[in-house]
Amino acid sequence: MKCYDIYIFIICIFICSCSHNVSTETYLPPDFITTHTVEIVPLNESLLVDMPSKMWKVDSLLILGTRSADNDAHFQILSATNGTYMGNFGNIGRGNNELLDYARASINVAEKRLFATDVAGKCILIDLKDMLTNNIQQVQSYTVSYGTDAQDVYCTNDKLLLLNGYPKRFCLTDMQCRDTLAYSNDYPIITQIDDDEYKKRVYYSTSSSFAVKPNGEQFCNFTRNGMLMEIFTIKHNDIRLSKRRYFYKTKMKDLMKGDDDCIRGCSCVQATDKYIYALYYDTPINDKNALPQLGIFDWSGNEICKYEFTEKVVNFCISSTDDKVYCWIINPLGEEYLGYFDLI
């Protein structure tokens, strides 16, 4: 073999090996060596709130992103020790420290700050440490000139990570969204939607669940209507795909719904500095009685273990020490409550 042929051969091998690591559309379900079945301990069964859209644990408190029948605030505070109701914050409105909506709200647990932005581009940054310990609400409020269409926004080290936007899928900016520091338009290959840019954007905007590593160095995306996992690394203001795995095939009935026999996939994902926690279904969408399971992965995308339940978990959060899961439950009678279980 001539030197030129050897050179081409080596390049081809390298490209194929890289493609296999991050981009090949080969579907293999997650394979966990260890499975635990847990009973969930009730923490508060008398909350008059809507089903939480988001949950966080900050120090000894739980913050639920939900509306209550007893107040007009969007965030409800409870004790993580005994479930006692502790207060609320985040009013909806047009006032100085109010937003029209809190759909794009995230808490940086390490920095103890909540960032949220509404459909009008107004932003608030709340110092949770002062508010939770001294009942002093320090809020920075401002309006972003250009707005953002990102599905979610995470604040870390006085930078904003815009998740699932357009035309840049992932983007790291300054606090005003004026200076693009890094971005990535890397999309997975999914045969059914890959040839239609609009269909691709709709799929990822409606089927993605994100979590950011508390130190801000990595983030992940899991999808439903099928399921894949992506892990991205942020380093020196650069966003790069570090792992992609295809678990269950995407089979869409239309732009918003999967086929009846499509695997339902991931409904919620959370992250700590050690692990990624994905709440997911490995059953078809038409199986209405199925229960989810909690899969735990490391930040290299490898399976650690999974937890199975006897009741339906619809949302959850993790302690920063990776020892306890707090979750919102719907029991067989259709009643909702806040509970927890210990990680083994």
Side-chain angles (χ1 to χ4, degrees), residues 45 311 329-337:
E45 298 178 278
E311 296 180 302
I329 309 298
I330 301 178
N331 67 21
L333 298 177
E335 300 166 335
E336 301 181 22
Y337 70 92

Side-chain angles (χ1 to χ4, degrees), residues 264-281:
R264 189 176 300 182
C266 184
S267 60
C268 182
V269 61
Q270 297 277 357
T272 65
D273 281 331
K274 288 180 65 177
Y275 299 121
I276 299 167
Y277 298 79
L279 185 69
Y280 75 98
Y281 292 82

Side-chain angles (χ1 to χ4, degrees), residues 196-211:
D196 189 320
E197 190 69 25
Y198 176 72
K199 187 182 296 185
K200 182 188 296 186
R201 295 207 315 268
V202 172
Y203 173 76
Y204 287 108
S205 65
T206 58
S207 298
S208 293
S209 295
F210 298 99

